[in-house]
mmCIF file of all heavy atoms in Angstrom:
data_model
loop_
_atom_site.group_PDB
_atom_site.id
_atom_site.type_symbol
_atom_site.label_atom_id
_atom_site.label_comp_id
_atom_site.label_asym_id
_atom_site.label_seq_id
_atom_site.Cartn_x
_atom_site.Cartn_y
_atom_site.Cartn_z
ATOM 1 N N ALA A 189 -82.508 -101.955 -128.280
ATOM 2 C CA ALA A 189 -81.078 -101.858 -128.534
ATOM 3 C C ALA A 189 -80.784 -101.560 -129.990
ATOM 4 O O ALA A 189 -79.762 -100.944 -130.307
ATOM 5 C CB ALA A 189 -80.402 -103.159 -128.140
ATOM 6 N N SER A 190 -81.659 -101.953 -130.896
ATOM 7 C CA SER A 190 -81.411 -101.748 -132.301
ATOM 8 C C SER A 190 -81.773 -100.313 -132.760
ATOM 9 O O SER A 190 -81.486 -99.964 -133.901
ATOM 10 C CB SER A 190 -82.190 -102.770 -133.137
ATOM 11 O OG SER A 190 -83.593 -102.532 -133.009
ATOM 12 N N MET A 191 -82.398 -99.534 -131.896
ATOM 13 C CA MET A 191 -82.720 -98.165 -132.273
ATOM 14 C C MET A 191 -81.462 -97.335 -132.408
ATOM 15 O O MET A 191 -80.622 -97.357 -131.482
ATOM 16 C CB MET A 191 -83.690 -97.564 -131.259
ATOM 17 C CG MET A 191 -85.038 -98.173 -131.263
ATOM 18 S SD MET A 191 -86.081 -97.373 -130.017
ATOM 19 C CE MET A 191 -87.561 -98.286 -130.188
ATOM 20 N N ARG A 192 -81.333 -96.603 -133.446
ATOM 21 C CA ARG A 192 -80.123 -95.844 -133.717
ATOM 22 C C ARG A 192 -79.890 -94.733 -132.741
ATOM 23 O O ARG A 192 -78.761 -94.263 -132.547
ATOM 24 C CB ARG A 192 -80.140 -95.277 -135.136
ATOM 25 C CG ARG A 192 -80.036 -96.343 -136.173
ATOM 26 C CD ARG A 192 -79.938 -95.779 -137.548
ATOM 27 N NE ARG A 192 -80.347 -94.381 -137.642
ATOM 28 C CZ ARG A 192 -80.544 -93.736 -138.751
ATOM 29 N NH1 ARG A 192 -80.331 -94.339 -139.885
ATOM 30 N NH2 ARG A 192 -80.893 -92.456 -138.744
ATOM 31 N N GLU A 193 -80.926 -94.198 -132.116
ATOM 32 C CA GLU A 193 -80.806 -93.072 -131.181
ATOM 33 C C GLU A 193 -80.101 -93.488 -129.902
ATOM 34 O O GLU A 193 -79.505 -92.650 -129.203
ATOM 35 C CB GLU A 193 -82.168 -92.490 -130.826
ATOM 36 C CG GLU A 193 -82.893 -91.876 -131.997
ATOM 37 C CD GLU A 193 -83.730 -92.906 -132.761
ATOM 38 O OE1 GLU A 193 -83.977 -93.989 -132.212
ATOM 39 O OE2 GLU A 193 -84.112 -92.629 -133.903
ATOM 40 N N ASN A 194 -80.233 -94.731 -129.494
ATOM 41 C CA ASN A 194 -79.646 -95.190 -128.246
ATOM 42 C C ASN A 194 -78.163 -95.454 -128.430
ATOM 43 O O ASN A 194 -77.700 -95.883 -129.480
ATOM 44 C CB ASN A 194 -80.315 -96.488 -127.766
ATOM 45 C CG ASN A 194 -81.765 -96.275 -127.427
ATOM 46 O OD1 ASN A 194 -82.152 -95.178 -127.008
ATOM 47 N ND2 ASN A 194 -82.593 -97.263 -127.583
ATOM 48 N N ILE A 195 -77.429 -95.142 -127.344
ATOM 49 C CA ILE A 195 -75.973 -95.397 -127.379
ATOM 50 C C ILE A 195 -75.617 -96.311 -126.226
ATOM 51 O O ILE A 195 -76.237 -96.300 -125.174
ATOM 52 C CB ILE A 195 -75.143 -94.075 -127.328
ATOM 53 C CG1 ILE A 195 -75.451 -93.291 -126.064
ATOM 54 C CG2 ILE A 195 -75.371 -93.229 -128.528
ATOM 55 C CD1 ILE A 195 -74.539 -92.066 -125.883
ATOM 56 N N PHE A 196 -74.613 -97.130 -126.467
ATOM 57 C CA PHE A 196 -74.110 -98.067 -125.473
ATOM 58 C C PHE A 196 -72.657 -97.710 -125.138
ATOM 59 O O PHE A 196 -71.833 -97.564 -126.033
ATOM 60 C CB PHE A 196 -74.204 -99.505 -126.031
ATOM 61 C CG PHE A 196 -75.618 -99.980 -126.134
ATOM 62 C CD1 PHE A 196 -76.353 -99.666 -127.278
ATOM 63 C CD2 PHE A 196 -76.177 -100.689 -125.132
ATOM 64 C CE1 PHE A 196 -77.653 -100.088 -127.394
ATOM 65 C CE2 PHE A 196 -77.475 -101.132 -125.228
ATOM 66 C CZ PHE A 196 -78.225 -100.811 -126.364
ATOM 67 N N ILE A 197 -72.423 -97.550 -123.844
ATOM 68 C CA ILE A 197 -71.117 -97.206 -123.365
ATOM 69 C C ILE A 197 -70.661 -98.328 -122.427
ATOM 70 O O ILE A 197 -71.485 -98.848 -121.659
ATOM 71 C CB ILE A 197 -71.161 -95.855 -122.589
ATOM 72 C CG1 ILE A 197 -71.697 -94.760 -123.515
ATOM 73 C CG2 ILE A 197 -69.804 -95.492 -122.056
ATOM 74 C CD1 ILE A 197 -72.076 -93.492 -122.779
ATOM 75 N N LEU A 198 -69.416 -98.713 -122.480
ATOM 76 C CA LEU A 198 -68.926 -99.842 -121.679
ATOM 77 C C LEU A 198 -69.125 -99.552 -120.173
ATOM 78 O O LEU A 198 -69.640 -100.360 -119.424
ATOM 79 C CB LEU A 198 -67.449 -100.128 -121.952
ATOM 80 C CG LEU A 198 -66.904 -101.363 -121.258
ATOM 81 C CD1 LEU A 198 -67.676 -102.598 -121.662
ATOM 82 C CD2 LEU A 198 -65.433 -101.515 -121.587
ATOM 83 N N LYS A 199 -68.744 -98.365 -119.738
ATOM 84 C CA LYS A 199 -68.852 -97.970 -118.338
ATOM 85 C C LYS A 199 -69.190 -96.504 -118.275
ATOM 86 O O LYS A 199 -68.682 -95.739 -119.118
ATOM 87 C CB LYS A 199 -67.511 -98.249 -117.612
ATOM 88 C CG LYS A 199 -67.532 -98.056 -116.150
ATOM 89 C CD LYS A 199 -66.184 -98.483 -115.577
ATOM 90 C CE LYS A 199 -66.044 -98.344 -114.096
ATOM 91 N NZ LYS A 199 -66.687 -97.265 -113.454
#
Side-chain angles (χ1 to χ4, degrees):
S190 68
M191 293 181 181
R192 291 185 343 189
E193 296 87 16
N194 294 331
I195 59 173
F196 290 84
I197 303 168
L198 186 59
K199 187 175 180 325

